Amino acid sequence: MPAAQPNQAKLPLRGFWRASATVPIASAIAGLACGGAAALLDRPDLAKIAWALGAAPVLAVLCWKIVSSLRRGDVGLDLIAALAMAAALSIGEVLAAAIVALMYAGGQALEAFAEGRASREMSALLDRAPKTAARYHGATLSTVPVAEVAVGDRLMVRLGDVIPVDGVVTGSAAVLDEAALTGESLPVTKRDGDAVMSGSTNVGQAFDLVARETAARSAYAAIIRLVEEAMTSQAPMTRLADRYALGFMAATLGLAGVAWWISGDPVRAVAVLVVATPCPLILAVPVAIVAGMSRAAKVGVLVKGGAALEALGRIRTLVVDKTGTLTHGEAALSTVAPAHGWSETEVLRLAASVDQASQHVVARAVVRGACERGVVLELPDEVTETAGEGVEGLVGARRVRVGGQAFVAKALRETDRSALAAAVPPGALAVAVAVDGRLAGLILMRDALRDDVQATLDRLRRSGVSRIVLATGDRRDVALSVTRDLGLDAIAADLTPQDKIALVRREKARAAVMMVGDGVNDAPALVEADVGVAMGAKGAAASAQASDIILLRDSLNGLADGLDIARRSRRIALQSVYAGIGLSALGMLAAAFGFLPPVQGALLQEAIDVAVILNALRALKE
């Protein structure tokens, strides 16, 4: 996962702490309540036992967490809280220990809540992977587990099926949607003998496939492995609070030691530790982050964990996919280029009339574009369709052929064939139209930019993003033509999932990186980035699961909103931290000079906590 994702070795510890988060807070509350009741009944002996029993489970869980952290070489603020509780219990200041236990357990419960949705499951990616395949046995078909498919097996891939293994098309042509794998938004036609990748979706008629790899060695499985490898290799994010841990802990222990050495009274050292219990850090940061997550959800930005929101506030580089992210991710009519003697409207009317009989995604886009332009269509007669190539039929008295260049060229005279070849722009998806054996024109398709792209990128730059890089699996000429006016800092095209990971790693060497994508091919790069953002409205489930943040609305506006919210939440959290540490420092000095006993110090710390929490809650407001 991106920076918020822990190493696999750390997952058991985090799961353990989240699962047991309710036990410490319940124990601390029950201990304080029972001890308070015993004190009111004039039973100080029972009160001390209740307070000690309430603090003990919190201290036990805390010690387990500290030991596990130290094994990894991590030193955090938890150590100060443990020292304060242990020291207070050792000298009989059990009420102070119970108060510290409540403060600490409350902070951890808040943090557990903030990270409750931060687990990175690969279930959606695995669920999309085909579980079975239709395999030929002679002239019959049988459904077999995909793991049983061997190299050389002949399979049938039906309409809507995800291709289970890498293979070669045999027989009739295949029309495939490879957007989730390559980033190419428009469907591609694969003919007899062409290689196809697992993970592509059949959007045309059923076709036969001869397996050239097993499922475990195919392209889709390789992407899954990339995601899993990135999950295990990515370092965990340092919590905002822990960045101040070592300095604060050194100052605290130094002051407590000096107070004890000068006064000879261990109670002063305990009082310093109690006042120094870093609840402004433990409490204020999770509260501000949870508040920011709540605000982000209201604008359609689902942040999966507090660490992700913290990281979002530090982003300086944006790496963004093209298809389905900057663009809508589907074919749309761009322009009509009529041949001599034809009008745009007439070419579009005849082509769209015939295309009404086809379920091909490009044919549907042509019909949709004609209707949007107000063109009145006729019902075609005598329609025949060649799968993956084109369609032919009668519109009135005219015979119209619509489809790919090679398909339409078969119906043209030699001079028109030459004119057709010269008219098709390089790299463009062109639908050719022939009428009564003569070239009538071309219909050019495109994947249009989202309306809000330019405004969103401008807002991101104003919010502190200094570098924007396009990373796409599409051809470079297509990427350049689509994004020419966006003012991007760099464009990387023809990328594989491995290439995208390498690009993100290079950019991370410059600054904190946010990656935005929507396809299966983006999932490994989303994992590798400091913050991965998925287009959740129409994007692939794999990218949504691999990301830290999901844009719930089919718009990039939420990206800029989320960044603004993250920066504000982080700024408020830091304000609370600085104010809380400053007030705690003053209390520590008072305790060191003997003006603040442990219990009063713990109560003072509670008052500081309330102040910093109220300030942190400002992150909920506009």
Side-chain angles (χ1 to χ4, degrees):
M1 283 298 119
Q5 171 65 30
N7 290 341
Q8 291 294 317
K10 300 184 182 182
L11 285 172
L13 175 60
R14 288 201 173 194
F16 162 78
W17 179 252
R18 283 198 297 269
S20 61
T22 56
V23 175
I25 186 68
S27 171
I29 293 174
L32 275 173
C34 292
L40 290 175
L41 294 174
D42 200 23
R43 292 295 305 272
D45 53 335
L46 293 180
K48 288 185 176 182
I49 293 173
W51 289 329
L53 290 176
V58 180
L59 181 58
V61 172
L62 180 54
C63 288
W64 171 264
K65 188 177 182 183
I66 291 171
V67 170
S68 299
S69 297
L70 290 175
R71 287 175 179 171
R72 302 190 305 267
D74 297 338
V75 179
L77 292 166
D78 303 328
L79 186 57
I80 301 177
L83 288 174
M85 276 188 276
L89 288 171
S90 68
I91 65 170
E93 294 285 349
V94 290
L95 178 55
I99 295 172
V100 172
L102 178 62
M103 290 188 294
Y104 181 82
Q108 291 301 301
L110 282 170
E111 188 171 7
F113 174 76
E115 294 183 352
R117 291 175 296 188
S119 63
R120 298 295 183 264
E121 302 291 345
M122 286 308 299
S123 58
L125 185 60
L126 296 172
D127 286 345
R128 185 181 182 274
K131 303 297 188 298
T132 60
R135 184 171 64 183
Y136 284 99
H137 290 274
T140 63
L141 275 174
S142 62
T143 300
V144 298
V146 70
E148 294 183 7
V149 174
V151 175
D153 283 352
R154 186 177 179 185
L155 312 175
M156 174 182 282
V157 183
R158 302 180 180 90
L159 173 65
D161 284 353
V162 176
I163 296 177
V165 297
D166 294 351
V168 176
V169 175
T170 180
S172 60
V175 182
L176 304 178
D177 178 1
E178 296 182 340
L181 292 174
T182 66
E184 172 59 64
S185 60
L186 304 178
V188 297
T189 299
K190 300 289 187 177
R191 294 179 174 81
D192 186 29
D194 288 347
V196 297
M197 293 184 292
S198 60
S200 305
T201 302
N202 181 20
V203 294
Q205 297 178 352
F207 69 93
D208 290 346
L209 177 80
V210 174
R212 66 173 186 176
E213 293 285 2
T214 62
R217 295 176 58 86
S218 293
Y220 194 74
I223 290 178
I224 294 175
R225 286 194 296 272
L226 280 174
V227 174
E228 292 173 338
E229 288 168 7
M231 287 171 64
T232 57
S233 65
Q234 182 64 38
M237 171 177 291
T238 301
R239 293 179 303 173
L240 179 61
D242 285 345
R243 295 174 201 155
Y244 302 90
L246 289 176
F248 188 77
M249 184 167 61
T252 297
L253 295 177
L255 184 59
V258 169
W260 189 356
W261 177 61
I262 293 177
S263 67
D265 185 2
V267 174
R268 290 196 183 185
V270 172
V272 170
L273 291 174
V274 168
V275 178
T277 302
C279 289
L281 292 175
I282 295 171
L283 293 172
V285 173
V287 167
I289 296 303
V290 170
M293 291 169 61
S294 176
R295 280 275 299 117
K298 290 180 181 178
V299 298
V301 180
L302 175 61
V303 182
K304 294 184 180 180
L309 194 73
E310 286 186 27
L312 185 59
R314 300 185 292 107
I315 292 301
R316 291 293 178 268
T317 298
L318 169 65
V319 176
V320 60
D321 178 47
K322 178 182 73 68
T323 303
T325 305
L326 295 182
T327 67
H328 291 284
E330 58 186 22
L333 192 151
S334 174
T335 57
V336 179
H340 180 69
W342 290 90
S343 69
E344 293 184 15
T345 301
E346 185 64 6
V347 172
L348 183 57
R349 183 185 74 84
L350 293 171
S353 293
V354 174
D355 272 343
Q356 291 178 103
S358 174
Q359 290 300 310
H360 194 285
V361 289
V362 174
R364 293 199 300 267
V366 170
V367 174
R368 183 171 60 251
C371 293
E372 290 172 352
R373 296 188 180 197
V375 177
V376 179
L377 306 182
E378 296 182 40
L379 290 177
D381 293 319
E382 300 180 15
V383 177
T384 58
E385 182 172 6
T386 303
E389 296 188 22
V391 62
E392 182 177 346
L394 290 176
V395 180
R398 293 180 177 274
R399 178 159 295 279
V400 182
R401 177 175 278 218
V402 183
Q405 180 179 345
F407 174 74
V408 172
K410 295 175 183 177
L412 299 178
R413 295 180 298 184
E414 185 62 36
T415 54
D416 279 349
R417 290 178 188 173
S418 300
L420 174 59
V424 177
L429 174 63
V431 177
V433 183
V435 179
D436 297 330
R438 300 296 303 271
L439 179 64
L442 296 175
I443 299 174
L444 301 180
M445 312 300 292
R446 63 187 173 91
D447 184 11
L449 285 174
R450 295 176 183 271
D451 295 335
D452 58 354
V453 165
Q454 188 64 70
T456 299
L457 295 183
D458 291 343
R459 279 189 61 193
L460 289 170
R461 289 195 186 276
R462 290 195 298 270
S463 297
V465 174
S466 57
R467 181 173 169 82
I468 301 177
V469 179
L470 177 69
T472 178
D474 218 338
R475 299 186 306 273
R476 185 170 183 82
D477 57 339
V478 175
L480 288 171
S481 65
V482 171
T483 62
R484 182 179 296 110
D485 299 324
L486 292 182
L488 303 178
D489 296 289
I491 294 176
D494 299 305
L495 300 183
T496 65
Q498 293 93 330
D499 294 334
K500 289 189 176 183
I501 289 179
L503 173 64
V504 169
R505 286 175 178 166
R506 289 195 300 270
E507 293 298 330
K508 284 172 66 175
R510 297 170 176 258
V513 173
M514 171 170 58
M515 168 73 189
V516 184
D518 80 323
V520 175
N521 63 320
D522 298 317
L526 294 173
V527 169
E528 183 63 35
D530 294 301
V531 176
V533 181
M535 303 292 293
K538 294 182 179 179
S543 62
Q545 289 296 321
S547 65
D548 299 285
I549 296 172
I550 301 175
L551 302 183
L552 299 177
R553 300 167 188 168
D554 193 29
S555 169
L556 283 175
N557 273 331
L559 189 60
D561 293 334
L563 186 60
D564 289 341
I565 290 169
R567 294 204 193 287
R568 183 171 184 269
S569 299
R570 189 171 185 273
R571 184 169 61 251
I572 289 173
L574 287 173
Q575 290 171 355
S576 299
V577 166
Y578 296 148
I581 288 178
L583 293 172
S584 295
L586 294 176
M588 289 161 58
L589 289 173
F593 284 100
F595 299 120
L596 201 61
V599 173
Q600 284 81 352
L603 293 174
L604 173 63
Q605 188 59 262
E606 287 282 20
I608 294 172
D609 294 343
V610 171
V612 297
I613 287 173
L614 290 176
N615 181 68
L617 287 173
R618 292 192 299 115
L620 280 171
K621 299 180 180 179
E622 297 287 344

